[in-house]
Amino acid sequence: MRRRHFLGIAAAAATAGPVLAQPSGAEHPLWPLWTAWRDAHLDFSGRVVDAPQRGASHSEGQSYGMSIAVEVGDEDAFRRMAAWTQENLAIRGDALLAWRWLPDVPERVPDLNNASDGDLFHAWALLRGAERFGHAAWRDRAAAVASDLVRSCVASRPDRPGQPILLPAAEGFTTPDGVIVNPSYMMPLAMREVAAATGQPELDRAATSGLSLMSEIAQEAVVPDWLELTPEGRRAPSGFSHDAGYEALRVPLFLAWSGEHGHPALARAADAMARAPQGLSATVLDAETGTVLETSGDPGYRAVAALSHCAAEGGPGAPIPPYSPAQPYYPSTLHMFVMMAQIRTLPACLPI
């Protein structure tokens, strides 16, 4: 794709208004990037393949793919992903999704536990799909997912009784002393839009509480992958990463996408990521000191860092690298999300 052409169409999109008012199909500014992503990571069956992770498919990946497809207006791909997800992951006793499907074991879904970030994005994508493609049944399914998400995955903060917090799953994240949370699962924009569309105000309250938690953490540290909340306060959970790694990379991206450009967690993450050597991006940080522990050359991670810095500093322009379909599923998907966030909430952060 010619870089100058992409910049021109992205600039037009940046002023085009809400996402659902964007051009559809080949007229959408992200369509060439989407088709490259689709060709690299989407099986014709509708299964999103995470090749480095044993070729697995996750509720996250399916829902992320659906979110991009509805953004650009690819109804065929959206329907295929929605159908595959419903048939293969919607196999619990509730409306939530089993979190992982494996191609190399006889029992494709050995663990029926869910992942709340996958469910959240699934509900969000279904709602947007119902509106964009005129399929009301998806709205009903989204409402059922949101209801079960609140029922099974929203708990009271032990350190702030009465404030709801989103747990990573229905099972396995309560401890004798409190709860274990992953802040990157708390995508404020998705939580608020799903809450409003499905009549689940507790999900909106959980978004506000999650933002407060990230703000508290950012007074002292970069928001980590995982932490435990107890009546006595926050602490590193046993057996989980307390670095700001591949999970926490989503925190500044989701804050920027949600319009939380002045949030202290966004500023702290952007500052720490800026310490990576030129041409590389920080993928793992010491949450306490902000020291860069691991780096990657994949452009999707550099795109996250560039957008985060632009959001925190107020632009104009961001050194977001060109999209590459050769990168693995995860940085490739984050790269697509960066461009979606730039169009929706950060028109000044046009790639330079």
Side-chain angles (χ1 to χ4, degrees):
M1 177 186 202
R2 289 181 293 117
R3 181 69 168 164
R4 186 177 299 277
H5 175 64
F6 171 72
L7 291 179
I9 54 181
T15 59
V19 169
L20 292 179
Q22 297 298 325
S24 185
E27 298 302 314
H28 194 283
L30 298 183
W31 184 261
L33 281 67
W34 158 247
T35 57
W37 186 99
R38 186 185 62 192
D39 292 347
H41 306 297
L42 180 62
D43 184 83
F44 186 77
S45 66
R47 183 170 84 88
V48 177
V49 180
D50 187 352
Q53 299 295 323
R54 298 170 55 185
S57 295
H58 306 88
S59 60
E60 166 213 282
Q62 294 300 123
S63 304
Y64 284 2
M66 290 167 63
S67 296
I68 307 169
V70 72
E71 161 75 13
V72 300
D74 190 338
E75 183 175 358
D76 175 69
F78 186 94
R79 286 182 176 275
R80 286 188 284 122
M81 285 184 279
W84 189 95
T85 303
Q86 184 68 18
E87 180 177 351
N88 293 279
L89 298 181
I91 56 175
R92 293 164 45 92
D94 56 18
L96 304 180
L97 303 174
W99 74 281
R100 182 173 65 167
W101 185 97
L102 295 167
D104 57 355
V105 296
E107 187 178 5
R108 301 293 197 214
V109 183
D111 181 3
L112 286 177
N113 205 10
N114 71 308
S116 60
D117 61 336
D119 292 312
L120 173 64
F121 268 83
H122 187 55
W124 196 31
L126 287 170
L127 287 169
R128 297 176 69 219
E131 182 174 350
R132 183 153 210 172
F133 304 131
H135 189 59
W138 289 333
R139 175 173 289 275
D140 295 338
R141 193 185 307 169
V145 173
S147 176
D148 284 340
L149 190 63
V150 169
R151 179 179 58 83
S152 299
C153 300
V154 174
S156 177
R157 282 183 61 172
D159 57 335
R160 300 282 192 278
Q163 289 191 21
I165 199 74
L166 184 67
L167 300 183
E171 300 175 8
F173 294 93
T174 59
T175 71
D177 298 322
V179 298
I180 295 171
V181 298
N182 185 320
S184 74
Y185 282 32
M186 306 171 197
M187 202 302 197
L189 179 63
M191 295 171 76
R192 287 171 169 163
E193 292 193 353
V194 171
T198 63
Q200 295 291 338
E202 196 71 355
L203 195 58
D204 186 278
R205 293 184 62 228
T208 299
S209 179
L211 287 167
S212 295
L213 172 63
M214 290 182 245
S215 182
E216 294 163 21
I217 297 168
Q219 306 309 311
E220 305 167 357
V222 180
V223 174
D225 293 332
W226 299 91
L227 69 155
E228 185 175 6
L229 303 178
T230 75
E232 290 72 39
R234 306 184 307 271
R235 68 188 186 193
S238 176
F240 292 82
S241 164
H242 196 59
D243 292 325
Y246 290 90
E247 304 256 12
L249 276 170
R250 296 176 293 186
V251 168
L253 169 58
F254 288 169
L255 289 172
W257 197 351
S258 299
E260 299 286 342
H261 305 155
H263 197 284
L266 173 56
R268 188 173 282 273
D271 178 69
M273 288 189 291
R275 304 174 194 174
Q278 187 174 4
L280 298 175
S281 180
T283 50
V284 181
L285 302 164
D286 183 306
E288 299 301 325
T289 66
T291 301
V292 176
L293 301 178
E294 293 183 23
T295 60
S296 170
D298 286 321
Y301 299 131
R302 286 189 281 127
V304 172
L307 186 76
S308 301
H309 180 79
C310 183
E313 297 297 321
I320 299 171
Y323 175 80
S324 169
Q327 58 189 325
Y329 150 78
Y330 188 56
S332 180
T333 304
L334 294 185
H335 207 150
M336 293 296 297
F337 279 179
V338 163
M339 301 312 302
M340 291 165 62
Q342 186 272 320
I343 289 172
R344 178 160 180 160
T345 68
L346 289 157
C349 295
L350 190 69
I352 55 175

